[in-house]
Amino acid sequence: MYDIIALGELLIDFTPIGKSDRGNNVFEQNPGGAPANLLAYLSKLNTKTAFIGKVGNDSFGEFLKNTLKEKGIDTIGIKVDKDINTTLAFVHIDETGDRSFSFYRKPGADINLSIEELDYDLIKNTKIFHFGSLSLTDSPIRETTLKALEIAKDNGVFITYDPNLRTNLWNNLDEAKAMIIKGLEYASVVKVSEEELEFITNEKDIKTASAKLMREFNNIKMLCISLGSDGSIIKTDKYYEFVKAYKVQAIDTTGAGDTFFGGIIYKLLESNMRIEELSKEDIIDMLAFANAGAAIVTTRYGSISIMPSEEEISEFRRLF
């Protein structure tokens, strides 16, 4: 039995690390992809993890599979595409450390995972099934993801969801909104940014928007809202709690949201996903733990390879 299995994109992040002697940008090959980032963090926290996805039959795909194995993530669910190359993303970082992406994904191996390649027993054999909206952008990965969700739902598997909006990966924003909302129908715990929450609900006020979302999707028992350098919020049926972010000098925010959500999921696993039994103090501690992990990764370049341990997080929290 796994603690968590994630399905979705596994790709190469080319991260800028400076300039060459000729003044050109120099990019470093880093493993990435939001679901893989999240699993890498949870694996570092000693949870049992596995990944479902697809890479190309190339050096990048081999590098990604080997990296996940090194991080303790079971790669039994990773398929190799003989015809389509591994998906690539070039990361652009501004002066505040915030990042944007240029994707090389049309086509990319991650979107070519078919229903026939799904291991149904793998999905049934986990406490949590996690997915993100980037596996809903294209076929056949869209249909494969929806099938995996049906299997998880039918077998009583707890479902977590990250509607990670990347506007340049969708044909149009109407399609993006429709598919992101489709994903909301399955999840018990959802993580959104402030911008994503407004996109989904058409409401600017966070409190109004979060209430509206949970009213429309009563299957959602916990909504986690990341506010970047300001902090984060958790809303449940009983609580609406905010915790400030830890103030650090960010150099690269890649993977920060995934680390934040990984921290939430780690604490949920500790509680056996009994959200209704969490106290106000539990919620606040959960947010503080998640914020700490996210803050640490923003002080490092990359994502999968730089996840903090529980000991590092405890020491970091003591310093504040």
Side-chain angles (χ1 to χ4, degrees), residues 9-11 32-39 51 130 134 162 164 258:
E9 67 276 12
L10 179 61
L11 49 81
N37 293 340
L38 183 141
L39 286 190
F51 188 83
H130 176 78
L134 295 199
D162 182 0
N164 195 2
D258 308 320

Side-chain angles (χ1 to χ4, degrees), residues 269-280:
L269 281 165
E270 284 189 336
S271 74
N272 290 317
M273 284 77 75
R274 294 187 178 125
I275 294 171
E276 68 282 355
E277 296 180 10
L278 295 173
S279 67
K280 177 179 178 178

Side-chain angles (χ1 to χ4, degrees), residues 13 28-32 36-37 40-41 44 63-64 66-68 70-71 73 254-255 259 297 300-309 312:
D13 281 333
E28 179 181 52
Q29 171 185 295
N30 282 301
N37 293 340
Y41 182 41
K44 190 71 174 279
F63 167 73
L64 289 169
N66 288 338
T67 298
L68 293 200
E70 290 169 4
K71 301 303 176 187
I73 301 168
T254 306
T259 310
V297 300
R300 304 168 178 176
Y301 287 109
S303 52
I304 286 177
S305 299
I306 50 85
M307 292 298 175
S309 66
E312 286 180 278

